[in-house]
Amino acid sequence: MGGMPGSIYDVAVIGGGVVGCAVLRELARYDLKLLLLEKEADLAEGISKGNSGVIHAGFNVPARSLKARTNVAGLGLIYPLASTLGVPHRKTGKLVVALADEDRPRLEELKAQGDKSGVPGLEIVDAAAIRRLEPLARGRWALYSPHSGIISPYELTIALAECAWQNGAEVLLEAPVEAVGTDDGMFLLTTPKGTFTARRVVNCAGLFSDEVARLAGIDDYRIFPYRGEYLISDKDCGLRLGMPVYPVPTKDDPGLGIHATPTLEGHIILGPSAEPVADKRDQASTREVAARLKAEAGRLMPELAGLSFIHSYTGIRPKLVDPAGRDRFADFVVEESRTRPGWISLVGIESPGLTAAPALAEMVVAMIGTDMGLTMKAEFRPDLPVRRRFAAADDDDRRARVAGDADWGEMVCRCEHVTRAEVVSALRNPFGAQTMDAVKRRTRCGMGRCQGGFCTPRIVEILQDEGVPVDRITKRGGGSRLFYGRLKD
């Protein structure tokens, strides 16, 4: 895994979300000694796991803003990048639906904004076209974006980090930066696992990027956390949504409105809400918001009104807009500190940060390259070994796997058809992540109808077989222990 105190790194990236991992992979193209520090027990534990997984086209943000520029550039990069890395994704298209004629001018504004930013293929369509494009949707008019899509955000994040790792980058988990010092032009990053020295630092700490910047004496930013709650359906709910369907957003809405999004596996996600909260760690799900999500989704798609749901989850957005203020838009911040040369901060990277991540990574590398004189590696491997899930394999492939290794024949998760071999492979990941959530993100164990009721005790047994003591098994690291002692030996 790496992370050697005393070593001097050319660049240290703080934060293992999609943007930090995209920056790390892009830097791994060059002859650099690289380190990523992540405070949690796995990658994608923050903003990158709690979103809709939508690939945005770039019409929702003001033209010429950094959000718009990196969104449109990222749209051109993310599909080939996901294909190269073997990350599940699909270009689905997207509808922004107006329920009444008086909402059409707002659609015209969004289209004009997108056209000015260079978003391809935007079109305003009528009710008949809405039904043809998405039979579940109802509306008078809609803005159709043919190049929008869906992706697994946590799988993209992990794949970016694994690609960087196979090209020589080092990744250290459970290593929050607690203090920042300087010495002879170097940054000294103190963590519970030691102090690391770096010539350059890229702060991609997401919700905590303002706090990490303050550790370095940079007091230029303040993040306001907004909580977004979601509901997710059973994939066998009887309905199939083909593309994301959004309402017409109001100009003063802090989000894009409560929408419905399909997942790659066939679930339907409703959400998110957008409510300012005092605590960046406040990921509560509430009955009141759940009822509102269902009601709002039912207006766009009446058939969703009676849908049953198997799970709720919450994401926190790192907004730079004070909820008590008058401003409703704040742009991405990507800048090198004037007072701490060599320290680059990315702050307020909310939606469309997932889509923009590859373009933001290229931007950061260009900033670093202006004064470091980067040299491309002679050999950079951009892809990852092909991994085909057992659930997606044909019968011949399954028989061959089981014949070669009996672990392929032991079903650990019945809902998602995950085998013991896949769980073992997940636990032997390059970064040492050994939590229940780390297994979930790499295999889909626990994401099905029973929400881990069947697979949890089996994963616990495998963790023990892999050398993790039962009293150290956690849901997501830290204090999230599953067991606190034995009733008998």
PDB file of all heavy atoms in Angstrom, residues 43-73:
ATOM      1  N   LEU A  43     -11.844   4.164   0.303  1.00  0.00           N
ATOM      2  CA  LEU A  43     -12.043   5.253  -0.633  1.00  0.00           C
ATOM      3  C   LEU A  43     -13.540   5.472  -0.844  1.00  0.00           C
ATOM      4  O   LEU A  43     -14.358   4.589  -0.566  1.00  0.00           O
ATOM      5  CB  LEU A  43     -11.367   4.920  -1.959  1.00  0.00           C
ATOM      6  CG  LEU A  43      -9.864   4.605  -1.861  1.00  0.00           C
ATOM      7  CD1 LEU A  43      -9.379   3.918  -3.124  1.00  0.00           C
ATOM      8  CD2 LEU A  43      -9.075   5.872  -1.593  1.00  0.00           C
ATOM      9  N   ALA A  44     -13.895   6.661  -1.348  1.00  0.00           N
ATOM     10  CA  ALA A  44     -15.285   6.986  -1.699  1.00  0.00           C
ATOM     11  C   ALA A  44     -16.226   6.931  -0.504  1.00  0.00           C
ATOM     12  O   ALA A  44     -17.417   6.678  -0.658  1.00  0.00           O
ATOM     13  CB  ALA A  44     -15.796   6.069  -2.816  1.00  0.00           C
ATOM     14  N   GLU A  45     -15.728   7.169   0.702  1.00  0.00           N
ATOM     15  CA  GLU A  45     -16.575   7.119   1.889  1.00  0.00           C
ATOM     16  C   GLU A  45     -17.341   8.417   2.125  1.00  0.00           C
ATOM     17  O   GLU A  45     -18.243   8.464   2.944  1.00  0.00           O
ATOM     18  CB  GLU A  45     -15.740   6.811   3.138  1.00  0.00           C
ATOM     19  CG  GLU A  45     -15.579   5.341   3.454  1.00  0.00           C
ATOM     20  CD  GLU A  45     -16.845   4.709   4.025  1.00  0.00           C
ATOM     21  OE1 GLU A  45     -17.894   5.381   4.084  1.00  0.00           O
ATOM     22  OE2 GLU A  45     -16.788   3.522   4.384  1.00  0.00           O
ATOM     23  N   GLY A  46     -17.010   9.473   1.405  1.00  0.00           N
ATOM     24  CA  GLY A  46     -17.663  10.753   1.648  1.00  0.00           C
ATOM     25  C   GLY A  46     -18.670  11.102   0.572  1.00  0.00           C
ATOM     26  O   GLY A  46     -19.599  10.343   0.277  1.00  0.00           O
ATOM     27  N   ILE A  47     -18.482  12.268  -0.039  1.00  0.00           N
ATOM     28  CA  ILE A  47     -19.407  12.765  -1.060  1.00  0.00           C
ATOM     29  C   ILE A  47     -19.555  11.772  -2.210  1.00  0.00           C
ATOM     30  O   ILE A  47     -20.638  11.623  -2.783  1.00  0.00           O
ATOM     31  CB  ILE A  47     -18.908  14.115  -1.613  1.00  0.00           C
ATOM     32  CG1 ILE A  47     -18.697  15.126  -0.478  1.00  0.00           C
ATOM     33  CG2 ILE A  47     -19.871  14.688  -2.636  1.00  0.00           C
ATOM     34  CD1 ILE A  47     -17.852  16.300  -0.878  1.00  0.00           C
ATOM     35  N   SER A  48     -18.486  11.079  -2.539  1.00  0.00           N
ATOM     36  CA  SER A  48     -18.471  10.242  -3.742  1.00  0.00           C
ATOM     37  C   SER A  48     -19.353   9.008  -3.649  1.00  0.00           C
ATOM     38  O   SER A  48     -19.616   8.371  -4.669  1.00  0.00           O
ATOM     39  CB  SER A  48     -17.033   9.821  -4.074  1.00  0.00           C
ATOM     40  OG  SER A  48     -16.244  10.954  -4.344  1.00  0.00           O
ATOM     41  N   LYS A  49     -19.809   8.650  -2.471  1.00  0.00           N
ATOM     42  CA  LYS A  49     -20.712   7.507  -2.386  1.00  0.00           C
ATOM     43  C   LYS A  49     -22.166   7.942  -2.248  1.00  0.00           C
ATOM     44  O   LYS A  49     -23.070   7.156  -2.484  1.00  0.00           O
ATOM     45  CB  LYS A  49     -20.345   6.606  -1.208  1.00  0.00           C
ATOM     46  CG  LYS A  49     -20.775   7.120   0.159  1.00  0.00           C
ATOM     47  CD  LYS A  49     -20.567   6.077   1.239  1.00  0.00           C
ATOM     48  CE  LYS A  49     -21.174   6.493   2.574  1.00  0.00           C
ATOM     49  NZ  LYS A  49     -20.629   7.727   3.119  1.00  0.00           N
ATOM     50  N   GLY A  50     -22.414   9.188  -1.860  1.00  0.00           N
ATOM     51  CA  GLY A  50     -23.767   9.632  -1.556  1.00  0.00           C
ATOM     52  C   GLY A  50     -24.311  10.607  -2.576  1.00  0.00           C
ATOM     53  O   GLY A  50     -24.548  11.770  -2.258  1.00  0.00           O
ATOM     54  N   ASN A  51     -24.486  10.144  -3.816  1.00  0.00           N
ATOM     55  CA  ASN A  51     -25.052  11.000  -4.853  1.00  0.00           C
ATOM     56  C   ASN A  51     -25.883  10.161  -5.814  1.00  0.00           C
ATOM     57  O   ASN A  51     -26.057   8.962  -5.608  1.00  0.00           O
ATOM     58  CB  ASN A  51     -23.947  11.778  -5.583  1.00  0.00           C
ATOM     59  CG  ASN A  51     -22.927  10.865  -6.231  1.00  0.00           C
ATOM     60  OD1 ASN A  51     -23.210  10.196  -7.226  1.00  0.00           O
ATOM     61  ND2 ASN A  51     -21.719  10.810  -5.664  1.00  0.00           N
ATOM     62  N   SER A  52     -26.386  10.769  -6.867  1.00  0.00           N
ATOM     63  CA  SER A  52     -27.279  10.065  -7.792  1.00  0.00           C
ATOM     64  C   SER A  52     -26.549   9.244  -8.843  1.00  0.00           C
ATOM     65  O   SER A  52     -27.173   8.453  -9.544  1.00  0.00           O
ATOM     66  CB  SER A  52     -28.196  11.073  -8.503  1.00  0.00           C
ATOM     67  OG  SER A  52     -28.925  11.854  -7.588  1.00  0.00           O
ATOM     68  N   GLY A  53     -25.242   9.458  -8.997  1.00  0.00           N
ATOM     69  CA  GLY A  53     -24.494   8.728 -10.008  1.00  0.00           C
ATOM     70  C   GLY A  53     -24.829   9.161 -11.427  1.00  0.00           C
ATOM     71  O   GLY A  53     -24.715   8.374 -12.370  1.00  0.00           O
ATOM     72  N   VAL A  54     -25.216  10.431 -11.593  1.00  0.00           N
ATOM     73  CA  VAL A  54     -25.596  10.936 -12.917  1.00  0.00           C
ATOM     74  C   VAL A  54     -24.399  11.590 -13.591  1.00  0.00           C
ATOM     75  O   VAL A  54     -23.658  12.361 -12.969  1.00  0.00           O
ATOM     76  CB  VAL A  54     -26.759  11.942 -12.808  1.00  0.00           C
ATOM     77  CG1 VAL A  54     -27.041  12.599 -14.153  1.00  0.00           C
ATOM     78  CG2 VAL A  54     -28.010  11.237 -12.300  1.00  0.00           C
ATOM     79  N   ILE A  55     -24.214  11.271 -14.865  1.00  0.00           N
ATOM     80  CA  ILE A  55     -23.237  11.977 -15.703  1.00  0.00           C
ATOM     81  C   ILE A  55     -23.970  13.172 -16.313  1.00  0.00           C
ATOM     82  O   ILE A  55     -24.850  13.020 -17.161  1.00  0.00           O
ATOM     83  CB  ILE A  55     -22.680  11.051 -16.801  1.00  0.00           C
ATOM     84  CG1 ILE A  55     -21.911   9.885 -16.167  1.00  0.00           C
ATOM     85  CG2 ILE A  55     -21.777  11.832 -17.755  1.00  0.00           C
ATOM     86  CD1 ILE A  55     -21.456   8.832 -17.163  1.00  0.00           C
ATOM     87  N   HIS A  56     -23.643  14.355 -15.848  1.00  0.00           N
ATOM     88  CA  HIS A  56     -24.340  15.572 -16.277  1.00  0.00           C
ATOM     89  C   HIS A  56     -23.750  16.110 -17.578  1.00  0.00           C
ATOM     90  O   HIS A  56     -22.543  16.001 -17.825  1.00  0.00           O
ATOM     91  CB  HIS A  56     -24.256  16.643 -15.194  1.00  0.00           C
ATOM     92  CG  HIS A  56     -25.095  16.344 -13.992  1.00  0.00           C
ATOM     93  ND1 HIS A  56     -26.465  16.370 -14.023  1.00  0.00           N
ATOM     94  CD2 HIS A  56     -24.749  15.996 -12.716  1.00  0.00           C
ATOM     95  CE1 HIS A  56     -26.947  16.067 -12.828  1.00  0.00           C
ATOM     96  NE2 HIS A  56     -25.927  15.833 -12.014  1.00  0.00           N
ATOM     97  N   ALA A  57     -24.623  16.748 -18.381  1.00  0.00           N
ATOM     98  CA  ALA A  57     -24.173  17.287 -19.662  1.00  0.00           C
ATOM     99  C   ALA A  57     -23.574  18.678 -19.535  1.00  0.00           C
ATOM    100  O   ALA A  57     -22.711  19.062 -20.331  1.00  0.00           O
ATOM    101  CB  ALA A  57     -25.340  17.306 -20.656  1.00  0.00           C
ATOM    102  N   GLY A  58     -24.055  19.487 -18.562  1.00  0.00           N
ATOM    103  CA  GLY A  58     -23.449  20.797 -18.350  1.00  0.00           C
ATOM    104  C   GLY A  58     -24.361  21.979 -18.587  1.00  0.00           C
ATOM    105  O   GLY A  58     -23.887  23.119 -18.632  1.00  0.00           O
ATOM    106  N   PHE A  59     -25.684  21.764 -18.703  1.00  0.00           N
ATOM    107  CA  PHE A  59     -26.590  22.887 -18.953  1.00  0.00           C
ATOM    108  C   PHE A  59     -27.182  23.481 -17.688  1.00  0.00           C
ATOM    109  O   PHE A  59     -27.869  24.503 -17.741  1.00  0.00           O
ATOM    110  CB  PHE A  59     -27.726  22.466 -19.902  1.00  0.00           C
ATOM    111  CG  PHE A  59     -28.547  21.309 -19.412  1.00  0.00           C
ATOM    112  CD1 PHE A  59     -29.565  21.487 -18.491  1.00  0.00           C
ATOM    113  CD2 PHE A  59     -28.302  20.024 -19.879  1.00  0.00           C
ATOM    114  CE1 PHE A  59     -30.323  20.418 -18.037  1.00  0.00           C
ATOM    115  CE2 PHE A  59     -29.053  18.947 -19.443  1.00  0.00           C
ATOM    116  CZ  PHE A  59     -30.071  19.146 -18.509  1.00  0.00           C
ATOM    117  N   ASN A  60     -26.943  22.874 -16.534  1.00  0.00           N
ATOM    118  CA  ASN A  60     -27.555  23.335 -15.286  1.00  0.00           C
ATOM    119  C   ASN A  60     -26.781  24.446 -14.595  1.00  0.00           C
ATOM    120  O   ASN A  60     -27.243  24.965 -13.577  1.00  0.00           O
ATOM    121  CB  ASN A  60     -27.710  22.161 -14.312  1.00  0.00           C
ATOM    122  CG  ASN A  60     -28.865  21.251 -14.676  1.00  0.00           C
ATOM    123  OD1 ASN A  60     -29.996  21.706 -14.820  1.00  0.00           O
ATOM    124  ND2 ASN A  60     -28.590  19.976 -14.865  1.00  0.00           N
ATOM    125  N   VAL A  61     -25.600  24.771 -15.091  1.00  0.00           N
ATOM    126  CA  VAL A  61     -24.751  25.759 -14.425  1.00  0.00           C
ATOM    127  C   VAL A  61     -24.439  26.898 -15.390  1.00  0.00           C
ATOM    128  O   VAL A  61     -24.443  26.711 -16.612  1.00  0.00           O
ATOM    129  CB  VAL A  61     -23.449  25.115 -13.908  1.00  0.00           C
ATOM    130  CG1 VAL A  61     -23.728  24.250 -12.692  1.00  0.00           C
ATOM    131  CG2 VAL A  61     -22.768  24.283 -14.984  1.00  0.00           C
ATOM    132  N   PRO A  62     -24.188  28.100 -14.870  1.00  0.00           N
ATOM    133  CA  PRO A  62     -23.986  29.261 -15.737  1.00  0.00           C
ATOM    134  C   PRO A  62     -22.848  29.069 -16.732  1.00  0.00           C
ATOM    135  O   PRO A  62     -21.771  28.572 -16.390  1.00  0.00           O
ATOM    136  CB  PRO A  62     -23.669  30.392 -14.751  1.00  0.00           C
ATOM    137  CG  PRO A  62     -24.311  29.965 -13.474  1.00  0.00           C
ATOM    138  CD  PRO A  62     -24.186  28.480 -13.436  1.00  0.00           C
ATOM    139  N   ALA A  63     -23.104  29.458 -17.960  1.00  0.00           N
ATOM    140  CA  ALA A  63     -22.075  29.387 -18.996  1.00  0.00           C
ATOM    141  C   ALA A  63     -20.857  30.216 -18.584  1.00  0.00           C
ATOM    142  O   ALA A  63     -20.979  31.235 -17.911  1.00  0.00           O
ATOM    143  CB  ALA A  63     -22.640  29.895 -20.322  1.00  0.00           C
ATOM    144  N   ARG A  64     -19.705  29.735 -18.998  1.00  0.00           N
ATOM    145  CA  ARG A  64     -18.398  30.354 -18.732  1.00  0.00           C
ATOM    146  C   ARG A  64     -17.936  30.189 -17.293  1.00  0.00           C
ATOM    147  O   ARG A  64     -16.830  30.588 -16.944  1.00  0.00           O
ATOM    148  CB  ARG A  64     -18.384  31.841 -19.138  1.00  0.00           C
ATOM    149  CG  ARG A  64     -18.491  32.068 -20.633  1.00  0.00           C
ATOM    150  CD  ARG A  64     -18.352  33.538 -20.990  1.00  0.00           C
ATOM    151  NE  ARG A  64     -19.494  34.309 -20.514  1.00  0.00           N
ATOM    152  CZ  ARG A  64     -20.632  34.450 -21.182  1.00  0.00           C
ATOM    153  NH1 ARG A  64     -20.782  33.877 -22.364  1.00  0.00           N
ATOM    154  NH2 ARG A  64     -21.602  35.178 -20.694  1.00  0.00           N
ATOM    155  N   SER A  65     -18.761  29.633 -16.403  1.00  0.00           N
ATOM    156  CA  SER A  65     -18.287  29.330 -15.053  1.00  0.00           C
ATOM    157  C   SER A  65     -17.335  28.139 -15.116  1.00  0.00           C
ATOM    158  O   SER A  65     -17.330  27.365 -16.083  1.00  0.00           O
ATOM    159  CB  SER A  65     -19.469  29.005 -14.130  1.00  0.00           C
ATOM    160  OG  SER A  65     -20.114  27.800 -14.542  1.00  0.00           O
ATOM    161  N   LEU A  66     -16.530  27.985 -14.079  1.00  0.00           N
ATOM    162  CA  LEU A  66     -15.628  26.840 -14.029  1.00  0.00           C
ATOM    163  C   LEU A  66     -16.430  25.545 -13.948  1.00  0.00           C
ATOM    164  O   LEU A  66     -16.037  24.520 -14.522  1.00  0.00           O
ATOM    165  CB  LEU A  66     -14.678  26.964 -12.839  1.00  0.00           C
ATOM    166  CG  LEU A  66     -13.623  25.865 -12.692  1.00  0.00           C
ATOM    167  CD1 LEU A  66     -12.755  25.754 -13.947  1.00  0.00           C
ATOM    168  CD2 LEU A  66     -12.753  26.112 -11.465  1.00  0.00           C
ATOM    169  N   LYS A  67     -17.568  25.585 -13.260  1.00  0.00           N
ATOM    170  CA  LYS A  67     -18.427  24.403 -13.219  1.00  0.00           C
ATOM    171  C   LYS A  67     -18.839  23.990 -14.622  1.00  0.00           C
ATOM    172  O   LYS A  67     -18.797  22.802 -14.977  1.00  0.00           O
ATOM    173  CB  LYS A  67     -19.667  24.676 -12.369  1.00  0.00           C
ATOM    174  CG  LYS A  67     -19.453  24.606 -10.872  1.00  0.00           C
ATOM    175  CD  LYS A  67     -20.765  24.771 -10.119  1.00  0.00           C
ATOM    176  CE  LYS A  67     -20.550  24.627  -8.609  1.00  0.00           C
ATOM    177  NZ  LYS A  67     -21.804  24.803  -7.843  1.00  0.00           N
ATOM    178  N   ALA A  68     -19.268  24.944 -15.424  1.00  0.00           N
ATOM    179  CA  ALA A  68     -19.719  24.624 -16.781  1.00  0.00           C
ATOM    180  C   ALA A  68     -18.569  24.125 -17.639  1.00  0.00           C
ATOM    181  O   ALA A  68     -18.705  23.134 -18.372  1.00  0.00           O
ATOM    182  CB  ALA A  68     -20.368  25.858 -17.412  1.00  0.00           C
ATOM    183  N   ARG A  69     -17.421  24.799 -17.565  1.00  0.00           N
ATOM    184  CA  ARG A  69     -16.295  24.429 -18.425  1.00  0.00           C
ATOM    185  C   ARG A  69     -15.785  23.026 -18.106  1.00  0.00           C
ATOM    186  O   ARG A  69     -15.536  22.215 -19.001  1.00  0.00           O
ATOM    187  CB  ARG A  69     -15.159  25.446 -18.286  1.00  0.00           C
ATOM    188  CG  ARG A  69     -15.546  26.860 -18.695  1.00  0.00           C
ATOM    189  CD  ARG A  69     -14.353  27.752 -18.980  1.00  0.00           C
ATOM    190  NE  ARG A  69     -13.325  27.698 -17.963  1.00  0.00           N
ATOM    191  CZ  ARG A  69     -13.288  28.479 -16.885  1.00  0.00           C
ATOM    192  NH1 ARG A  69     -14.272  29.351 -16.661  1.00  0.00           N
ATOM    193  NH2 ARG A  69     -12.290  28.412 -16.024  1.00  0.00           N
ATOM    194  N   THR A  70     -15.634  22.737 -16.808  1.00  0.00           N
ATOM    195  CA  THR A  70     -15.122  21.410 -16.446  1.00  0.00           C
ATOM    196  C   THR A  70     -16.180  20.334 -16.616  1.00  0.00           C
ATOM    197  O   THR A  70     -15.856  19.176 -16.884  1.00  0.00           O
ATOM    198  CB  THR A  70     -14.587  21.406 -15.002  1.00  0.00           C
ATOM    199  OG1 THR A  70     -15.604  21.870 -14.102  1.00  0.00           O
ATOM    200  CG2 THR A  70     -13.352  22.289 -14.884  1.00  0.00           C
ATOM    201  N   ASN A  71     -17.467  20.698 -16.480  1.00  0.00           N
ATOM    202  CA  ASN A  71     -18.534  19.725 -16.712  1.00  0.00           C
ATOM    203  C   ASN A  71     -18.549  19.295 -18.174  1.00  0.00           C
ATOM    204  O   ASN A  71     -18.571  18.099 -18.490  1.00  0.00           O
ATOM    205  CB  ASN A  71     -19.875  20.341 -16.310  1.00  0.00           C
ATOM    206  CG  ASN A  71     -21.037  19.354 -16.349  1.00  0.00           C
ATOM    207  OD1 ASN A  71     -22.102  19.624 -15.811  1.00  0.00           O
ATOM    208  ND2 ASN A  71     -20.880  18.214 -16.977  1.00  0.00           N
ATOM    209  N   VAL A  72     -18.545  20.265 -19.089  1.00  0.00           N
ATOM    210  CA  VAL A  72     -18.594  19.932 -20.514  1.00  0.00           C
ATOM    211  C   VAL A  72     -17.326  19.187 -20.929  1.00  0.00           C
ATOM    212  O   VAL A  72     -17.385  18.195 -21.677  1.00  0.00           O
ATOM    213  CB  VAL A  72     -18.803  21.203 -21.358  1.00  0.00           C
ATOM    214  CG1 VAL A  72     -18.719  20.876 -22.847  1.00  0.00           C
ATOM    215  CG2 VAL A  72     -20.157  21.831 -21.035  1.00  0.00           C
ATOM    216  N   ALA A  73     -16.179  19.628 -20.445  1.00  0.00           N
ATOM    217  CA  ALA A  73     -14.932  18.910 -20.755  1.00  0.00           C
ATOM    218  C   ALA A  73     -14.963  17.510 -20.163  1.00  0.00           C
ATOM    219  O   ALA A  73     -14.548  16.529 -20.804  1.00  0.00           O
ATOM    220  CB  ALA A  73     -13.736  19.690 -20.221  1.00  0.00           C
TER     221      ALA A  73
END
